[in-house]
Amino acid sequence: MKPIICASLLALTLAACSTAPAAPSLDPVPPPARRPDAKTQLEYGNPPPPPPGRY
């Protein structure tokens, strides 16, 4: 009985360690810039216009 329990625990341990989570892929598109709020506009003025598109 004891060897069966040990073998089961070993199998569960190996099964838990064998599946590693996938590494997150890098997103080539950056998130959109946040719009400045009213306080920021009062302190620093209006932001410059966004740069033209690449293509």
Side-chain angles (χ1 to χ4, degrees):
M1 183 74 170
K2 200 170 194 179
I4 295 173
I5 294 174
C6 290
S8 300
L9 287 176
L10 179 65
L12 286 174
T13 304
L14 290 175
C17 294
S18 66
T19 57
S25 62
L26 294 176
D27 190 10
V29 179
R34 296 176 64 186
R35 294 185 57 202
D37 57 2
K39 181 181 177 188
T40 305
Q41 287 182 353
L42 285 174
E43 290 176 351
Y44 299 106
N46 286 331
R54 288 186 179 182
Y55 304 107

